[in-house]
Amino acid sequence: MFARIRVFTLTALAATGLNSCQSLLDQSYQPTVAPSSNPQIVEEVQKNDPRAQMGAREHPRIVASYGGEYKDAKTERLVARIAGALTSVSENPSQSYRITILNSPAINAFALPGGYLYVTRGLLALANDASEVAAVLSHEMGHVTANHGIERQKREEAEVIASRVVAEVLSSDIAGKQALARGKLRLAAFSRQQELQADVIGVRMLGEAGYDPYAAARFLDSMAAYSRFMAVDPETDQSLDFLSSHPNSAQRIDLARSHARAFGQEGKVGDAGRNYYLDGIDGLLYGDSPEEGYVRDETFLHAGLGIRFDVPPDFRIDNKVEAVLATGPGEVAIRFDGVADTQKQSLTNYISSGWVTGLDPSTIRPISVNGMEAATARASADRWDFDVTVIRNGEQIFRFLTAVPKGSAALEPTANVLRSTFRRMTPQEMASLKPLRIRVVTVRPGDTIATLAARMMGTDRKLDLFKLINAMPAAASVAPGDRVKIISE
């Protein structure tokens, strides 16, 4: 959570909060599946492949857009082991690869020209064995081998200008965002044949490396289930996720299975690598990272900033890199962010300094929020009414913007919940706040799916999420000695 935002218009709040955020990435970040192994420094990769200059140019921005690199020696060794087995059977064994695990809960993986391969920790959390991650990696290696990144780049150049406006400024230009969305659709349509080609290459690599060749189809099924799970919340922004950029269809899954049949019968060929994979992801960070704060039910907490607040009942919080968003009944939307308090001006002057459009100056008034200096005001834009509340705490100014349809009676009650619950965290609260992680547990006698799911944390849909991360069908059961994933501190 938190970006360096100088200007924010209230029309953008309504568009962002109610229709879900547009991705802030360049079109060159259109994901495709992917990691690799044999980690190498950038200079060595560039030395081996001049095309990697393109990847090197985009690499820092991809890492920044996905929350930085995820550093964990055990997980890195796991991914390197998987990708190393694939490199030797790739169509271009001399190709050098650089793999980066991205510190993002999004489920994604993709490749850049020259052997830059990326996988998110969110994807690693969803996968259930090494062959599924190998399917992702081999698919992305297929993109690199087939030079799809170079071909895509030629078609993206016209789109990049528009997308950079979105990437570098929190744009309120709805027309610009619509143009960006249209560009994404064009690129997705263009890349469908490339995705199918990479599927063919990937399944062949899977089988030849000794992995279960049916893992590609199996993981496509898991990602489709994940997409359905997330779609229950229409406000969820999946723009950073795999299925937003990879065409997914029953036909594609069927094709992956048909290519796998060349290696033998399903369930009787290849190594899934489940046990060593589960060992490798036990303890993997899940969901929000400490640097971005945590969402716990209807509360947002950030130990680094030392603050917390609640949203009203029935609201859903979405903690994004650039801001915390929340949406609730009646098309009510909340945005929370922070900026450095560099000028030390009064907060009433700060509200009127030009960053709020549609502001009604007569409504600006100073207030106190749990002992902290604050100010509030009202504004209107298009068909929305807004409450603007700013709070000074140390070197930061925190900002709440609440949007409701014009005339809605929900504006004041919603803003009051935010103001009344925003406070500094106690040292005890900060010390006790722990991130959620993937924990691998062994099923004991008497355990059932229901009792195991009850141990899940960080979600109010415990049973559904438990089945999702363990790829369990509706009628599944567990037996003593089985190993399963749960989410807990």
Side-chain angles (χ1 to χ4, degrees):
M1 186 286 268
F2 280 15
R4 303 165 197 85
I5 302 167
R6 294 190 179 88
V7 178
F8 185 80
T9 68
L10 293 177
T11 305
L13 171 65
T16 299
L18 302 179
N19 299 322
S20 83
C21 285
Q22 184 66 52
S23 170
L24 302 184
L25 305 180
D26 256 15
Q27 294 299 319
S28 51
Y29 302 158
Q30 284 298 99
T32 36
V33 196
S36 136
S37 148
N38 287 343
Q40 300 186 42
I41 61 172
V42 177
E43 291 76 9
E44 284 300 313
V45 177
Q46 290 175 330
K47 189 185 301 181
N48 293 339
D49 188 345
R51 292 169 299 182
Q53 293 176 3
M54 184 184 299
R57 185 175 65 247
E58 299 297 334
H59 174 77
R61 299 203 308 130
I62 285 189
V63 170
S65 298
Y66 277 80
E69 294 189 34
Y70 181 69
K71 296 292 189 180
D72 179 83
K74 182 172 70 169
T75 308
E76 291 175 275
R77 284 194 301 270
L78 171 68
V79 176
R81 172 179 178 175
I82 297 168
L86 296 169
T87 303
S88 61
V89 299
S90 70
E91 295 191 0
N92 182 9
S94 63
Q95 170 71 58
S96 296
Y97 292 96
R98 174 196 172 126
I99 176 142
T100 301
I101 301 174
L102 298 168
N103 188 23
S104 170
I107 303 210
N108 213 346
F110 43 96
L112 290 179
Y116 284 75
L117 297 167
Y118 305 86
V119 63
T120 61
R121 58 176 170 81
L123 187 145
L124 298 178
L126 180 64
N128 275 284
D129 59 49
S131 66
E132 292 182 353
V133 174
V136 169
L137 292 172
S138 60
H139 174 104
E140 285 308 322
M141 289 179 176
H143 280 303
V144 173
T145 299
N147 285 328
H148 289 163
I150 299 292
E151 296 174 23
R152 175 178 282 162
Q153 182 75 10
K154 295 174 183 176
R155 289 158 176 81
E156 285 175 347
E157 288 172 355
E159 311 293 343
V160 166
I161 295 174
S163 66
R164 279 186 178 152
V165 173
V166 179
E168 294 167 7
V169 181
L170 186 58
S171 173
S172 63
D173 180 3
I174 303 304
K177 291 185 178 182
Q178 290 171 340
L180 179 59
R182 287 194 299 271
K184 285 191 169 189
L185 290 173
R186 284 197 295 273
L187 291 171
F190 161 77
S191 66
R192 180 174 294 273
Q193 190 57 39
Q194 292 181 329
E195 298 294 349
L196 294 174
Q197 184 182 0
D199 283 345
V200 175
I201 296 172
V203 171
R204 181 196 62 76
M205 290 174 63
L206 265 183
E208 292 186 2
Y211 284 112
D212 177 4
Y214 291 89
R218 194 166 64 244
F219 197 52
L220 283 170
D221 278 334
S222 287
M223 287 187 288
Y226 164 81
S227 183
R228 291 191 296 271
F229 177 84
M230 298 301 286
V232 171
D233 175 14
E235 307 300 341
T236 300
D237 176 19
Q238 298 176 48
S239 60
L240 297 185
D241 284 331
F242 179 88
L243 292 176
S244 69
S245 57
H246 289 70
N248 192 42
S249 65
Q251 178 196 26
R252 186 177 175 200
I253 294 172
D254 288 343
L255 285 172
R257 285 200 172 94
S258 68
H259 292 305
R261 290 189 192 105
F263 293 92
Q265 185 178 347
E266 187 169 4
K268 296 187 176 181
V269 62
D271 176 33
R274 178 169 169 82
N275 279 327
Y276 75 78
Y277 184 78
L278 292 178
D279 290 341
I281 65 166
D282 190 17
L284 180 74
L285 184 66
Y286 183 86
D288 300 326
S289 66
E291 294 77 17
E292 294 181 1
Y294 302 107
V295 175
R296 296 290 187 266
D297 298 323
E298 291 160 349
T299 302
F300 176 77
L301 309 98
H302 200 304
L305 298 171
I307 54 96
R308 60 175 290 167
F309 64 86
D310 299 338
V311 297
D314 300 323
F315 273 63
R316 186 178 295 272
I317 303 175
D318 193 4
N319 184 18
K320 297 185 176 297
V321 173
E322 74 274 11
V324 177
L325 305 175
T327 52
E331 293 190 301
V332 180
I334 297 164
R335 179 190 172 97
F336 173 74
D337 66 12
V339 293
D341 184 12
T342 55
Q343 300 193 10
K344 306 297 180 183
Q345 60 184 313
S346 72
L347 291 182
T348 53
N349 287 341
Y350 174 72
I351 284 184
S352 62
S353 62
W355 62 280
V356 178
T357 60
L359 181 71
D360 180 354
S362 68
T363 63
I364 300 174
R365 61 188 179 90
I367 60 172
S368 176
V369 171
N370 287 318
M372 291 170 279
E373 178 190 358
T376 185
R378 292 293 174 86
S380 295
D382 294 339
R383 63 183 186 93
W384 306 98
D385 290 334
F386 300 89
D387 178 274
V388 184
T389 298
V390 295
I391 305 165
R392 174 175 280 133
N393 183 35
E395 302 298 315
Q396 288 277 146
I397 294 176
F398 295 106
R399 313 188 297 188
F400 285 107
L401 298 109
T402 304
V404 301
K406 255 191 200 314
S408 169
L411 183 60
E412 185 64 19
T414 303
N416 276 340
V417 170
L418 303 173
R419 286 190 287 261
S420 64
T421 61
F422 183 87
R423 64 174 175 82
R424 299 183 182 98
M425 294 179 67
T426 66
Q428 293 77 15
E429 286 175 325
M430 290 188 282
S432 65
L433 190 59
K434 295 181 175 64
L436 296 178
R437 297 186 182 275
I438 293 288
R439 302 294 183 187
V440 178
V441 300
T442 300
V443 177
R444 297 169 301 186
D447 282 340
T448 65
I449 287 180
T451 62
L452 291 164
R455 297 165 62 181
M456 298 272 287
M457 298 176 64
T459 177
D460 56 358
R461 298 154 66 191
K462 295 184 177 186
L463 182 60
D464 290 341
L465 186 56
F466 175 78
K467 288 183 175 180
L468 174 65
I469 64 172
N470 288 289
M472 289 182 173
S477 60
V478 293
D482 290 348
R483 303 179 76 197
V484 296
K485 297 180 288 184
I486 64 170
I487 298 166
S488 65
E489 290 182 343

